[in-house]
Amino acid sequence: MIEINNAIDSGDFLLASYVDDFEEKAFSFQIKCNKLYQLDFSAVDDIEEIEDIELDSNIWILELEVINLNKKKFELDDLKSRLKLVDEEGCEFDIIEDFHLCSLSDFAKTSRLRKFHSAELKPKIIKSGALAFELPDYFENLSLSIEDGSVEPI
């Protein structure tokens, strides 16, 4: 695991890899964390359209870049299902997706959530976007983790 603030401050790419037991294959990516900020719900247009997230939730947006190091294109959904933020107590927080917040709204476009909502990663090409996480009201440190794999400095 890599502490998220250190990853952002360094500006370096990280190596993320995991093994998919179903496909019996290893997958590798480079990930660069650019910014982590708390969502201001007043910035979201047509907020009443949000269905899968409580409007008093503590939502944080992680802006990042991803490079697929595999030989073939890859659906981002598999990586998104494995990517976690982990707090100092070891609690894991998955990516959250609401169709309006992450795809339909103008906010989804300006925040770049839409770019990772339903995306394909071609080999060796940088894809920039953002992901949303629901976090507790208080945390000290967050780390980036990947289920059944590792995140390491390059």
Side-chain angles (χ1 to χ4, degrees):
M1 287 190 299
I2 300 290
E3 194 171 303
I4 200 84
N5 287 332
N6 292 344
I8 292 168
D9 291 344
S10 76
D12 294 335
F13 275 93
L14 306 168
L15 179 63
S17 57
Y18 66 90
V19 175
D20 185 319
D21 292 332
F22 180 72
E23 293 188 39
E24 298 179 355
K25 288 175 68 176
F27 295 95
S28 297
F29 303 86
Q30 287 183 350
I31 297 175
K32 181 180 175 187
C33 300
N34 293 323
K35 185 178 180 182
L36 179 68
Y37 64 93
Q38 189 172 22
L39 172 65
D40 175 3
F41 278 100
S42 68
V44 180
D45 51 298
D46 299 324
I47 196 168
E48 68 279 356
E49 298 295 323
I50 293 177
E51 296 178 350
D52 299 326
I53 301 170
E54 297 297 324
L55 297 181
D56 61 350
S57 298
N58 189 27
I59 307 300
W60 288 69
I61 309 293
L62 176 62
E63 293 181 2
L64 53 127
E65 298 171 32
V66 179
I67 303 172
N68 176 0
L69 300 178
N70 305 291
K71 303 263 186 230
K72 297 183 178 183
K73 68 182 178 180
F74 184 82
E75 294 295 324
L76 186 61
D77 285 345
D78 192 46
L79 178 62
K80 288 185 338 188
S81 71
R82 295 172 181 274
L83 204 60
K84 317 277 183 213
L85 290 182
V86 181
D87 72 7
E88 63 280 354
E89 296 175 3
C91 297
E92 296 182 352
F93 304 97
D94 297 330
I95 292 163
I96 58 163
E97 293 188 287
D98 172 86
F99 197 65
H100 179 74
L101 177 68
C102 299
S103 183
L104 294 180
S105 67
D106 290 338
F107 178 80
K109 184 177 180 180
T110 59
S111 67
R112 301 185 334 184
L113 284 167
R114 183 180 297 168
K115 290 193 175 216
F116 280 176
H117 184 69
S118 197
E120 194 174 75
L121 299 174
K122 295 179 176 110
K124 299 183 179 181
I125 297 175
I126 295 175
K127 182 84 170 178
S128 298
L131 300 169
F133 294 85
E134 183 176 4
L135 299 174
D137 290 333
Y138 177 78
F139 56 87
E140 288 184 25
N141 296 309
L142 291 171
S143 296
L144 188 65
S145 176
I146 194 159
E147 186 177 308
D148 297 326
S150 63
V151 179
E152 303 170 356
I154 296 177

PDB file of all heavy atoms in Angstrom, residues 7 12-14 18 25 37 50-51 54 60 62 74 83 90 100 113-114 116 118 120:
ATOM      1  N   ALA A   7       1.867   9.837  -2.519  1.00  0.00           N
ATOM      2  CA  ALA A   7       1.750   9.567  -3.953  1.00  0.00           C
ATOM      3  C   ALA A   7       1.424  10.849  -4.720  1.00  0.00           C
ATOM      4  O   ALA A   7       1.991  11.109  -5.786  1.00  0.00           O
ATOM      5  CB  ALA A   7       0.692   8.502  -4.207  1.00  0.00           C
ATOM      6  N   ASP A  12       4.806  10.856  -8.849  1.00  0.00           N
ATOM      7  CA  ASP A  12       5.347   9.690  -9.543  1.00  0.00           C
ATOM      8  C   ASP A  12       4.249   8.679  -9.881  1.00  0.00           C
ATOM      9  O   ASP A  12       3.244   8.587  -9.182  1.00  0.00           O
ATOM     10  CB  ASP A  12       6.387   8.978  -8.665  1.00  0.00           C
ATOM     11  CG  ASP A  12       7.620   9.826  -8.421  1.00  0.00           C
ATOM     12  OD1 ASP A  12       7.918  10.714  -9.250  1.00  0.00           O
ATOM     13  OD2 ASP A  12       8.279   9.607  -7.387  1.00  0.00           O
ATOM     14  N   PHE A  13       4.502   7.911 -10.925  1.00  0.00           N
ATOM     15  CA  PHE A  13       3.634   6.782 -11.225  1.00  0.00           C
ATOM     16  C   PHE A  13       3.947   5.645 -10.264  1.00  0.00           C
ATOM     17  O   PHE A  13       5.087   5.484  -9.823  1.00  0.00           O
ATOM     18  CB  PHE A  13       3.828   6.307 -12.665  1.00  0.00           C
ATOM     19  CG  PHE A  13       3.007   7.062 -13.664  1.00  0.00           C
ATOM     20  CD1 PHE A  13       3.540   8.165 -14.315  1.00  0.00           C
ATOM     21  CD2 PHE A  13       1.708   6.683 -13.955  1.00  0.00           C
ATOM     22  CE1 PHE A  13       2.788   8.868 -15.239  1.00  0.00           C
ATOM     23  CE2 PHE A  13       0.939   7.370 -14.876  1.00  0.00           C
ATOM     24  CZ  PHE A  13       1.489   8.477 -15.519  1.00  0.00           C
ATOM     25  N   LEU A  14       2.937   4.870  -9.947  1.00  0.00           N
ATOM     26  CA  LEU A  14       3.063   3.683  -9.100  1.00  0.00           C
ATOM     27  C   LEU A  14       2.764   2.458  -9.954  1.00  0.00           C
ATOM     28  O   LEU A  14       2.004   2.546 -10.923  1.00  0.00           O
ATOM     29  CB  LEU A  14       2.063   3.758  -7.946  1.00  0.00           C
ATOM     30  CG  LEU A  14       2.110   5.015  -7.089  1.00  0.00           C
ATOM     31  CD1 LEU A  14       0.895   5.078  -6.185  1.00  0.00           C
ATOM     32  CD2 LEU A  14       3.400   5.051  -6.288  1.00  0.00           C
ATOM     33  N   TYR A  18      -2.153  -7.204 -10.100  1.00  0.00           N
ATOM     34  CA  TYR A  18      -2.955  -8.209  -9.407  1.00  0.00           C
ATOM     35  C   TYR A  18      -3.119  -9.425 -10.300  1.00  0.00           C
ATOM     36  O   TYR A  18      -2.889  -9.368 -11.501  1.00  0.00           O
ATOM     37  CB  TYR A  18      -4.318  -7.658  -8.984  1.00  0.00           C
ATOM     38  CG  TYR A  18      -5.237  -7.304 -10.119  1.00  0.00           C
ATOM     39  CD1 TYR A  18      -6.121  -8.241 -10.649  1.00  0.00           C
ATOM     40  CD2 TYR A  18      -5.239  -6.026 -10.661  1.00  0.00           C
ATOM     41  CE1 TYR A  18      -6.973  -7.919 -11.689  1.00  0.00           C
ATOM     42  CE2 TYR A  18      -6.090  -5.700 -11.695  1.00  0.00           C
ATOM     43  CZ  TYR A  18      -6.947  -6.643 -12.209  1.00  0.00           C
ATOM     44  OH  TYR A  18      -7.789  -6.321 -13.244  1.00  0.00           O
ATOM     45  N   LYS A  25      -4.706 -14.953 -14.956  1.00  0.00           N
ATOM     46  CA  LYS A  25      -3.774 -14.035 -15.600  1.00  0.00           C
ATOM     47  C   LYS A  25      -3.371 -12.950 -14.622  1.00  0.00           C
ATOM     48  O   LYS A  25      -4.143 -12.582 -13.735  1.00  0.00           O
ATOM     49  CB  LYS A  25      -4.434 -13.369 -16.819  1.00  0.00           C
ATOM     50  CG  LYS A  25      -4.638 -14.284 -17.995  1.00  0.00           C
ATOM     51  CD  LYS A  25      -5.399 -13.617 -19.107  1.00  0.00           C
ATOM     52  CE  LYS A  25      -4.611 -12.523 -19.765  1.00  0.00           C
ATOM     53  NZ  LYS A  25      -5.311 -11.915 -20.916  1.00  0.00           N
ATOM     54  N   TYR A  37      -9.866  15.348  -3.290  1.00  0.00           N
ATOM     55  CA  TYR A  37     -10.624  16.460  -2.705  1.00  0.00           C
ATOM     56  C   TYR A  37     -12.040  16.021  -2.352  1.00  0.00           C
ATOM     57  O   TYR A  37     -12.584  15.088  -2.943  1.00  0.00           O
ATOM     58  CB  TYR A  37     -10.654  17.671  -3.643  1.00  0.00           C
ATOM     59  CG  TYR A  37     -11.363  17.438  -4.956  1.00  0.00           C
ATOM     60  CD1 TYR A  37     -12.715  17.743  -5.113  1.00  0.00           C
ATOM     61  CD2 TYR A  37     -10.674  16.914  -6.049  1.00  0.00           C
ATOM     62  CE1 TYR A  37     -13.356  17.537  -6.312  1.00  0.00           C
ATOM     63  CE2 TYR A  37     -11.310  16.703  -7.254  1.00  0.00           C
ATOM     64  CZ  TYR A  37     -12.648  17.020  -7.385  1.00  0.00           C
ATOM     65  OH  TYR A  37     -13.293  16.806  -8.585  1.00  0.00           O
ATOM     66  N   ILE A  50     -29.465  12.230  -8.156  1.00  0.00           N
ATOM     67  CA  ILE A  50     -28.569  11.266  -7.521  1.00  0.00           C
ATOM     68  C   ILE A  50     -29.420  10.272  -6.741  1.00  0.00           C
ATOM     69  O   ILE A  50     -30.214  10.650  -5.898  1.00  0.00           O
ATOM     70  CB  ILE A  50     -27.559  11.975  -6.599  1.00  0.00           C
ATOM     71  CG1 ILE A  50     -26.605  12.829  -7.435  1.00  0.00           C
ATOM     72  CG2 ILE A  50     -26.784  10.966  -5.763  1.00  0.00           C
ATOM     73  CD1 ILE A  50     -25.613  13.638  -6.634  1.00  0.00           C
ATOM     74  N   GLU A  51     -29.248   8.977  -7.025  1.00  0.00           N
ATOM     75  CA  GLU A  51     -30.086   7.949  -6.418  1.00  0.00           C
ATOM     76  C   GLU A  51     -29.337   7.009  -5.478  1.00  0.00           C
ATOM     77  O   GLU A  51     -29.901   6.501  -4.530  1.00  0.00           O
ATOM     78  CB  GLU A  51     -30.745   7.105  -7.519  1.00  0.00           C
ATOM     79  CG  GLU A  51     -31.702   7.895  -8.386  1.00  0.00           C
ATOM     80  CD  GLU A  51     -32.307   7.045  -9.492  1.00  0.00           C
ATOM     81  OE1 GLU A  51     -31.848   5.905  -9.705  1.00  0.00           O
ATOM     82  OE2 GLU A  51     -33.241   7.533 -10.139  1.00  0.00           O
ATOM     83  N   GLU A  54     -26.312   8.974  -0.507  1.00  0.00           N
ATOM     84  CA  GLU A  54     -27.005   9.919   0.372  1.00  0.00           C
ATOM     85  C   GLU A  54     -26.353  11.297   0.223  1.00  0.00           C
ATOM     86  O   GLU A  54     -25.129  11.405   0.166  1.00  0.00           O
ATOM     87  CB  GLU A  54     -26.915   9.456   1.828  1.00  0.00           C
ATOM     88  CG  GLU A  54     -27.601   8.128   2.092  1.00  0.00           C
ATOM     89  CD  GLU A  54     -29.095   8.169   1.840  1.00  0.00           C
ATOM     90  OE1 GLU A  54     -29.734   9.203   2.116  1.00  0.00           O
ATOM     91  OE2 GLU A  54     -29.630   7.154   1.354  1.00  0.00           O
ATOM     92  N   TRP A  60     -15.364  11.749  -1.567  1.00  0.00           N
ATOM     93  CA  TRP A  60     -14.086  12.310  -1.986  1.00  0.00           C
ATOM     94  C   TRP A  60     -13.796  11.859  -3.404  1.00  0.00           C
ATOM     95  O   TRP A  60     -14.114  10.731  -3.793  1.00  0.00           O
ATOM     96  CB  TRP A  60     -12.971  11.864  -1.049  1.00  0.00           C
ATOM     97  CG  TRP A  60     -13.063  12.549   0.289  1.00  0.00           C
ATOM     98  CD1 TRP A  60     -14.020  12.357   1.250  1.00  0.00           C
ATOM     99  CD2 TRP A  60     -12.190  13.547   0.801  1.00  0.00           C
ATOM    100  NE1 TRP A  60     -13.778  13.176   2.326  1.00  0.00           N
ATOM    101  CE2 TRP A  60     -12.663  13.912   2.083  1.00  0.00           C
ATOM    102  CE3 TRP A  60     -11.040  14.155   0.311  1.00  0.00           C
ATOM    103  CZ2 TRP A  60     -12.020  14.874   2.857  1.00  0.00           C
ATOM    104  CZ3 TRP A  60     -10.406  15.111   1.088  1.00  0.00           C
ATOM    105  CH2 TRP A  60     -10.905  15.466   2.341  1.00  0.00           C
ATOM    106  N   LEU A  62     -10.917  11.260  -6.321  1.00  0.00           N
ATOM    107  CA  LEU A  62      -9.501  11.021  -6.578  1.00  0.00           C
ATOM    108  C   LEU A  62      -9.251  11.152  -8.079  1.00  0.00           C
ATOM    109  O   LEU A  62      -9.790  10.388  -8.868  1.00  0.00           O
ATOM    110  CB  LEU A  62      -9.094   9.619  -6.104  1.00  0.00           C
ATOM    111  CG  LEU A  62      -7.657   9.189  -6.383  1.00  0.00           C
ATOM    112  CD1 LEU A  62      -6.656  10.097  -5.678  1.00  0.00           C
ATOM    113  CD2 LEU A  62      -7.447   7.732  -5.980  1.00  0.00           C
ATOM    114  N   PHE A  74      -8.294  -3.338 -22.073  1.00  0.00           N
ATOM    115  CA  PHE A  74      -8.768  -3.825 -20.787  1.00  0.00           C
ATOM    116  C   PHE A  74      -9.938  -2.958 -20.335  1.00  0.00           C
ATOM    117  O   PHE A  74      -9.881  -1.736 -20.438  1.00  0.00           O
ATOM    118  CB  PHE A  74      -7.607  -3.719 -19.792  1.00  0.00           C
ATOM    119  CG  PHE A  74      -7.904  -4.266 -18.438  1.00  0.00           C
ATOM    120  CD1 PHE A  74      -7.800  -5.619 -18.186  1.00  0.00           C
ATOM    121  CD2 PHE A  74      -8.280  -3.429 -17.404  1.00  0.00           C
ATOM    122  CE1 PHE A  74      -8.067  -6.122 -16.926  1.00  0.00           C
ATOM    123  CE2 PHE A  74      -8.555  -3.930 -16.152  1.00  0.00           C
ATOM    124  CZ  PHE A  74      -8.442  -5.276 -15.918  1.00  0.00           C
ATOM    125  N   LEU A  83      -9.623  -1.600  -6.804  1.00  0.00           N
ATOM    126  CA  LEU A  83      -8.933  -0.443  -6.239  1.00  0.00           C
ATOM    127  C   LEU A  83      -9.631   0.015  -4.965  1.00  0.00           C
ATOM    128  O   LEU A  83     -10.852   0.164  -4.938  1.00  0.00           O
ATOM    129  CB  LEU A  83      -8.921   0.681  -7.273  1.00  0.00           C
ATOM    130  CG  LEU A  83      -7.840   1.726  -7.171  1.00  0.00           C
ATOM    131  CD1 LEU A  83      -6.460   1.101  -7.282  1.00  0.00           C
ATOM    132  CD2 LEU A  83      -8.030   2.766  -8.250  1.00  0.00           C
ATOM    133  N   GLY A  90      -6.954   0.216   8.769  1.00  0.00           N
ATOM    134  CA  GLY A  90      -7.081  -0.921   7.869  1.00  0.00           C
ATOM    135  C   GLY A  90      -8.462  -1.082   7.254  1.00  0.00           C
ATOM    136  O   GLY A  90      -8.709  -2.068   6.557  1.00  0.00           O
ATOM    137  N   HIS A 100     -25.959   9.272 -12.240  1.00  0.00           N
ATOM    138  CA  HIS A 100     -26.044  10.712 -12.489  1.00  0.00           C
ATOM    139  C   HIS A 100     -24.745  11.416 -12.111  1.00  0.00           C
ATOM    140  O   HIS A 100     -24.180  12.163 -12.910  1.00  0.00           O
ATOM    141  CB  HIS A 100     -27.221  11.334 -11.715  1.00  0.00           C
ATOM    142  CG  HIS A 100     -27.324  12.809 -11.930  1.00  0.00           C
ATOM    143  ND1 HIS A 100     -27.788  13.355 -13.098  1.00  0.00           N
ATOM    144  CD2 HIS A 100     -26.981  13.847 -11.128  1.00  0.00           C
ATOM    145  CE1 HIS A 100     -27.732  14.672 -13.013  1.00  0.00           C
ATOM    146  NE2 HIS A 100     -27.248  14.997 -11.830  1.00  0.00           N
ATOM    147  N   LEU A 113     -15.089  12.444 -13.745  1.00  0.00           N
ATOM    148  CA  LEU A 113     -15.652  11.165 -13.296  1.00  0.00           C
ATOM    149  C   LEU A 113     -16.176  10.364 -14.490  1.00  0.00           C
ATOM    150  O   LEU A 113     -16.087   9.141 -14.516  1.00  0.00           O
ATOM    151  CB  LEU A 113     -16.778  11.395 -12.286  1.00  0.00           C
ATOM    152  CG  LEU A 113     -16.365  11.786 -10.881  1.00  0.00           C
ATOM    153  CD1 LEU A 113     -17.569  12.277 -10.084  1.00  0.00           C
ATOM    154  CD2 LEU A 113     -15.687  10.628 -10.163  1.00  0.00           C
ATOM    155  N   ARG A 114     -16.739  11.066 -15.466  1.00  0.00           N
ATOM    156  CA  ARG A 114     -17.308  10.401 -16.640  1.00  0.00           C
ATOM    157  C   ARG A 114     -16.263   9.598 -17.413  1.00  0.00           C
ATOM    158  O   ARG A 114     -16.562   8.541 -17.965  1.00  0.00           O
ATOM    159  CB  ARG A 114     -17.953  11.431 -17.565  1.00  0.00           C
ATOM    160  CG  ARG A 114     -18.633  10.805 -18.772  1.00  0.00           C
ATOM    161  CD  ARG A 114     -19.258  11.817 -19.680  1.00  0.00           C
ATOM    162  NE  ARG A 114     -20.299  12.536 -18.988  1.00  0.00           N
ATOM    163  CZ  ARG A 114     -20.873  13.636 -19.456  1.00  0.00           C
ATOM    164  NH1 ARG A 114     -20.502  14.143 -20.611  1.00  0.00           N
ATOM    165  NH2 ARG A 114     -21.822  14.240 -18.769  1.00  0.00           N
ATOM    166  N   PHE A 116     -13.913   7.766 -16.410  1.00  0.00           N
ATOM    167  CA  PHE A 116     -13.665   6.445 -15.842  1.00  0.00           C
ATOM    168  C   PHE A 116     -14.951   5.699 -15.523  1.00  0.00           C
ATOM    169  O   PHE A 116     -14.910   4.611 -14.975  1.00  0.00           O
ATOM    170  CB  PHE A 116     -12.821   6.552 -14.568  1.00  0.00           C
ATOM    171  CG  PHE A 116     -11.351   6.733 -14.805  1.00  0.00           C
ATOM    172  CD1 PHE A 116     -10.504   6.932 -13.743  1.00  0.00           C
ATOM    173  CD2 PHE A 116     -10.809   6.701 -16.075  1.00  0.00           C
ATOM    174  CE1 PHE A 116      -9.142   7.098 -13.935  1.00  0.00           C
ATOM    175  CE2 PHE A 116      -9.450   6.873 -16.285  1.00  0.00           C
ATOM    176  CZ  PHE A 116      -8.616   7.064 -15.212  1.00  0.00           C
ATOM    177  N   SER A 118     -17.254   4.328 -17.558  1.00  0.00           N
ATOM    178  CA  SER A 118     -17.320   3.128 -18.383  1.00  0.00           C
ATOM    179  C   SER A 118     -16.241   3.297 -19.442  1.00  0.00           C
ATOM    180  O   SER A 118     -16.474   3.888 -20.485  1.00  0.00           O
ATOM    181  CB  SER A 118     -18.703   3.023 -19.009  1.00  0.00           C
ATOM    182  OG  SER A 118     -18.938   1.737 -19.487  1.00  0.00           O
ATOM    183  N   GLU A 120     -12.422   1.963 -21.421  1.00  0.00           N
ATOM    184  CA  GLU A 120     -11.558   0.905 -21.900  1.00  0.00           C
ATOM    185  C   GLU A 120     -10.133   1.464 -21.880  1.00  0.00           C
ATOM    186  O   GLU A 120      -9.903   2.606 -22.272  1.00  0.00           O
ATOM    187  CB  GLU A 120     -11.988   0.596 -23.334  1.00  0.00           C
ATOM    188  CG  GLU A 120     -11.467  -0.647 -23.917  1.00  0.00           C
ATOM    189  CD  GLU A 120     -12.111  -0.864 -25.279  1.00  0.00           C
ATOM    190  OE1 GLU A 120     -11.732  -0.182 -26.240  1.00  0.00           O
ATOM    191  OE2 GLU A 120     -13.004  -1.723 -25.361  1.00  0.00           O
TER     192      GLU A 120
END
